[in-house]
Amino acid sequence: MASNLAVVKALFIYGTDIGWFSMLASSLLFTYCLTLQKSPYYGVTSLLRHLVVAAVSRMRGKSLMSALLKSWKRPREYQEQVLLRILAANGRTSYGKDHRLHQMTSSLEFRQQHPLTTYEHYRSYVERAMEGEKNVITGQEPASFCKTSGTTGSSKFYPYRDRLANVSNLWSKVDEVVYRNFPKFGLVQKHFLHLTAPTVSKAKCGTELVSMLTLSPKEEYKLVRYTTPPAGYRISALKESHYIHLLFALREPNLGVLKVIFLHFLESMMRQLEHLWWEDLVYDIEHGSINEAMQLDAAVRAALVRELGGGDPERARQLRAEFDKGFVGIIARVWPNLRAIISADSTKVWPEFKQTYGKGTSFLPFAYGATEAFMALACWPLEERPGYTFLTSEIFFEFIKLQDVDQCQPKTYLVDELEIGERYEVVVTQFDGLYRYRLGDIIRIVDYHDNCPMMEFLYRMGLMMNLRYEKMDQTVITDSLHAAVARWTGVKLTEFALAESKLIPKTSPAYEKDELMPFYLIFVELRHVNEMNANRPRRTSEELTMIDKEFRSRNADYDRLRREDAIARPRVHIVRQGTFEELKHYLIENTNVTANQYKVPRKLRTKEMLHVMLDNVVVQ
């Protein structure tokens, strides 16, 4: 009996010690959290939730980056291992058996026996998988099919076994890059993430059809780290999405990073903030309200108003004081603890942005990727070391020299065989069913990190116009212009070229300082059908509008952006006959283009080319 009492006493004392230890550890943890640059709107629960999500992401990021760093030292060895894992994972699928993937034992054998491919090579397999057939193209059944925008016809669909894991791993790597470059970045600092809600549909088999970066409701708990509440990511209209993202970001004084997939979206938001919304946003922050002009679902509006918690007059006062000083350097001034802007500058707006809204901030160029795969990571701020380093521990890469890209099955080079300064088309083999897949992306090698090349993206083969994410390619543009001009009275289309509004210098008469949204400039040279029409240079506004309508009918993303006023109407200019001949002479005399090589440049890429066209515009 005495021995039993002794055991109970010992357990009580031991349990008490454990309890005190747990309380002490919890107190120390909470005290530590109070020293961090946490959000002033956090309570104990929300702070700990953020800490747990951030800690898990940090551990994942450290592990993934550790594997990458090792692979950059021995890229050929790691690339061989990656390829063999891919072949083992999918070798017994219908596709794998048709192409004998399960019998291949080396990258040499794989490159000798498997052809270089494009999407049409996979279309029938993908369609079978979308119909519900099992084990067609991936050993593990796809959890989703990621779709492209379909700018030249029907969309392309790519199977993904675990899209969310791919996206989560990407963000973890990006965050780890931030921690490595900016040691003062706090574990519980808030992040800004700009995303709008895309349309989600389902294939016949019931699997979701989504864009690559679509958020999932089952992962909303991870959004605790972001300034915008979960309800804000359910908004699909771009204007309302911009307003709500800005509202909650401006409310947060301790913001750590700005994450925007494409920098031009942040540039547009800053222009809207300066010219349209700042007073309304300050009012809403002060009073805990949301501007009634924003067309929001009632449930979404109610959820967001609850998050505002009745308003914050002190933060509103701080913001108003900064806005009254002007908008140069506004990002650094309203968020003094901001470490970096993380974004892809697909439209090359950073040089101007860093002199205006982004003055005093660091820019990390995010990652290089597409719907087909995430392929490379920016590991340093742009001003320190530009370029992306390939994800050699995750994707098997091959490259085609630029001079060989017109061949059907050209020679390919491995990742450690590339030369600095040379241009290549990227070819990928990945875990989700693409083998020796030609992306059509042209890159240039700019440096090496350890034994792995660093690259910059140059362009997608063929003409591509892209103000936002609409990706207007040559087929869409050509067909639209010919269809529109065919309905114009008495003329035929001779030549055409396009430019993006960001190319217009501020000193040009064509610059429109009051236009907040980007737009296309379209230059068309016409031939009169008969002499009677030669004295009729003016086109009606209805005729000029036809081009916009044709673009909208052929490109769903362009149509959406126009509906949401995220892209302004195109400016259509009629140029004098002989203008394109003048452009030809200019380029032959002032560039490396020879007469034998010359092709009409459908996309105007320099201010000098634009100047030639604007000088020849017929007054309408």
Side-chain angles (χ1 to χ4, degrees), residues 453-470:
M454 296 175 63
M455 49 76 63
E456 65 172 342
F457 174 78
L458 295 180
Y459 57 89
R460 194 128 177 134
M461 286 193 298
L463 175 65
M464 188 70 74
M465 306 294 294
N466 196 36
L467 293 172
R468 298 295 193 189
Y469 53 76
E470 69 279 11

Side-chain angles (χ1 to χ4, degrees), residues 165-181:
N166 282 16
V167 175
S168 183
N169 288 344
L170 174 67
W171 286 123
S172 293
K173 289 193 286 281
V174 170
D175 288 347
E176 182 61 21
V177 169
V178 175
Y179 288 119
R180 288 170 180 264
N181 283 281

Side-chain angles (χ1 to χ4, degrees), residues 33 98 139 176 189 208 327 359 411 453 467 484 492 510 601 605:
C33 290
D98 289 346
E176 182 61 21
Q189 274 191 273
E208 64 177 9
F327 282 79
K359 189 173 184 178
K411 177 182 177 180
L467 293 172
K492 289 188 176 181
R605 300 181 182 276

